[in-house]
């Protein structure tokens, strides 16, 4: 597609359940990033994939968070045993050059 | 690591007036400074960026200035229009940080007709 696609757009889950968020980057973009945006706040870096290099996981807030990327395509962000503080918009971005990110519209996660 | 501060957090201007948003950064190795506009329910969209070898860049009604010595950069929007109403984020990155962007806290801009 023409842009970064994220699914689902909205997700409501019960506390303690696992969730998977999906990101389809722009074709040919080697870099892929996940950010978290809490209500009314800035973007918080989570994880970064660049080609076949080991991912930069330095932003993951706990071991309940993990992410995978298949080659230079789809990425999934998994949150295990969700907590209410995980409620946020999760944004994915891709880039051909590690600059000039293109963001998706995000997945709004609500943990009840 | 890098820390980016952004001010003000909210800004209300009359249509046709100018809006200025300021950011400071902490890592002197940062060399790329983009600005993003986020409309309600959408992801941030890149509107302009500047690299450290340039002091100013303009694109129609928007301009960005960079002062590397003082480690601050600013976004200027002239002749504001209602469609400029959005949240604006500044960011900074450098090779030492793997080129990942560190974002400011955002500025909510409201342009009153």
């Amino acid at each position: 597609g023409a842009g970064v696609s994220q699914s689902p757009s909205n997700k409501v889950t019960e506390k303690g359940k696992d969730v998977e968020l999906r990101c389809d980057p722009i074709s040919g973009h080697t870099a892929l990033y996940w950010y978290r945006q809490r209500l009314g706040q800035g973007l918080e870096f989570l994880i970064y994939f660049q080609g076949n290099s080991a991912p930069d996981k330095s932003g993951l807030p706990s071991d309940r968070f993990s992410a995978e990327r298949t080659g230079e395509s789809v990425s999934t962000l998994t949150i295990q045993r969700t907590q209410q503080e995980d409620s946020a918009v999760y944004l994915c971005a891709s880039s051909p050059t590690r600059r000039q990110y293109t963001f998706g519209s995000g997945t709004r996660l609500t943990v009840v | 690591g890098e820390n980016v501060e952004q001010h003000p957090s909210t800004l209300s201007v009359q249509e046709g007036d100018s809006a200025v948003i300021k950011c400071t950064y902490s890592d002197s190795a940062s060399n790329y400074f983009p600005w993003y506009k986020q409309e309600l329910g959408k992801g941030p969209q890149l509107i302009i960026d500047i690299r450290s070898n340039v002091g100013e860049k303009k694109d129609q009604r928007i301009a960005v200035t960079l002062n590397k010595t003082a480690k601050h950069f600013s976004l200027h929007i002239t002749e504001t229009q209602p469609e400029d109403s959005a949240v604006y984020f500044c960011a900074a990155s450098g090779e030492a940080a793997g080129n990942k962007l560190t974002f400011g806290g955002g500025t909510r801009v409201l342009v009153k007709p």
Side-chain angles (χ1 to χ4, degrees):
Chain A
V4 177
S5 177
Q6 290 189 246
S7 60
S9 55
N10 281 284
K11 176 72 177 178
V12 180
T13 190
E14 291 182 353
K15 179 181 171 181
K17 294 281 177 77
D18 297 353
V19 294
E20 259 191 20
L21 312 179
R22 178 187 169 103
C23 173
D24 281 276
I26 292 172
S27 179
H29 282 196
T30 57
L32 185 147
Y33 306 81
W34 284 97
Y35 282 79
R36 177 170 70 180
Q37 185 175 29
R38 290 199 167 111
L39 187 64
Q41 297 187 22
L43 283 71
E44 177 188 4
F45 168 76
L46 297 178
I47 188 168
Y48 158 46
F49 296 90
Q50 172 64 49
N52 294 319
S53 303
D56 176 354
K57 304 180 182 179
S58 60
L60 294 178
S62 77
D63 59 8
R64 296 186 297 105
F65 287 72
S66 63
E68 292 184 348
R69 186 181 186 194
T70 307
E72 294 185 354
S73 61
V74 171
S75 176
T76 55
L77 177 69
T78 301
I79 309 173
Q80 296 179 309
R81 306 181 301 283
T82 51
Q83 304 295 314
Q84 288 186 329
E85 63 263 26
D86 299 334
S87 295
V89 175
Y90 289 83
L91 289 160
C92 174
S94 70
S95 171
T97 62
R98 296 186 292 169
R99 302 282 170 95
Q100 299 197 333
Y101 297 8
T102 301
F103 280 92
S105 295
T107 294
R108 180 175 299 278
L109 175 66
T110 304
V111 182
V112 297
Chain B
E2 176 66 279
N3 183 50
V4 178
E5 302 274 346
Q6 183 171 347
H7 299 280
S9 56
T10 60
L11 180 59
S12 182
V13 297
Q14 207 65 41
E15 182 178 358
D17 287 350
S18 295
V20 180
I21 304 169
K22 297 183 179 182
C23 289
T24 60
Y25 61 99
S26 62
D27 187 352
S28 56
S30 288
N31 58 9
Y32 175 66
F33 308 92
W35 287 87
Y36 285 82
K37 176 183 180 182
Q38 186 175 31
E39 296 173 327
L40 198 62
K42 297 183 179 180
Q45 180 181 10
L46 177 69
I47 56 171
I48 194 167
D49 57 11
I50 192 167
R51 298 179 192 270
S52 60
N53 58 348
V54 175
E56 182 174 358
K57 185 176 178 180
K58 286 186 82 171
D59 183 3
Q60 298 183 342
R61 294 187 298 107
I62 59 174
V64 58
T65 59
L66 171 65
N67 184 327
K68 281 214 71 179
T69 303
K71 288 190 282 189
H72 67 68
F73 56 114
S74 301
L75 178 72
H76 304 250
I77 307 173
T78 58
E79 300 172 22
T80 53
Q81 300 168 4
E83 54 264 36
D84 295 329
S85 296
V87 179
Y88 292 80
F89 292 96
C90 63
S93 75
E95 291 180 10
N99 290 313
K100 57 181 182 282
L101 291 174
T102 299
F103 285 83
T107 297
R108 182 172 300 277
V109 174
L110 175 63
V111 180
K112 295 180 286 187

